[in-house]
Amino acid sequence: MPDRNFHDMSARGEEPGARRGTETERDRGAERRRRRAQFLRDLAEARELRDRVQPRRVKVARLRHAMRMRTFRW
């Protein structure tokens, strides 16, 4: 049927590979990565603060991790 060329984007004057909204998807991905990076920075900062405030807990966790690693079989 000649009137059913909705898959052909060139009929509307657009390139066949071009899609609308790809820039916004790309921007959303970049924004998501920025927010994730900020979250991970904040999380690392909070962990460092907790480690400074509770050094005994950090030492125990470090020793426990070392014991696990010694008993772990590769």
Side-chain angles (χ1 to χ4, degrees):
M1 297 175 133
D3 61 337
R4 300 190 107 194
N5 61 356
F6 53 87
H7 289 291
D8 185 16
M9 299 296 248
S10 61
R12 289 190 282 168
E14 298 177 5
E15 292 185 22
R19 295 177 67 191
R20 292 181 185 205
T22 54
E23 290 299 321
T24 58
E25 292 172 14
R26 197 172 298 154
D27 292 342
R28 269 187 260 148
E31 178 62 29
R32 181 182 174 277
R33 284 190 298 276
R34 275 192 295 273
R35 281 183 290 145
R36 184 174 187 273
Q38 180 64 44
F39 170 76
L40 292 176
R41 281 193 298 270
D42 292 346
L43 183 63
E45 183 182 343
R47 283 182 179 154
E48 289 173 8
L49 177 63
R50 185 186 64 200
D51 293 351
R52 278 182 281 155
V53 172
Q54 300 174 337
R56 188 179 300 160
R57 179 181 285 184
V58 175
K59 181 179 178 183
V60 170
R62 190 173 57 243
L63 293 173
R64 196 174 293 136
H65 179 71
M67 183 62 73
R68 269 197 315 264
M69 293 310 287
R70 278 194 296 264
T71 59
F72 184 76
R73 291 183 174 245
W74 296 97

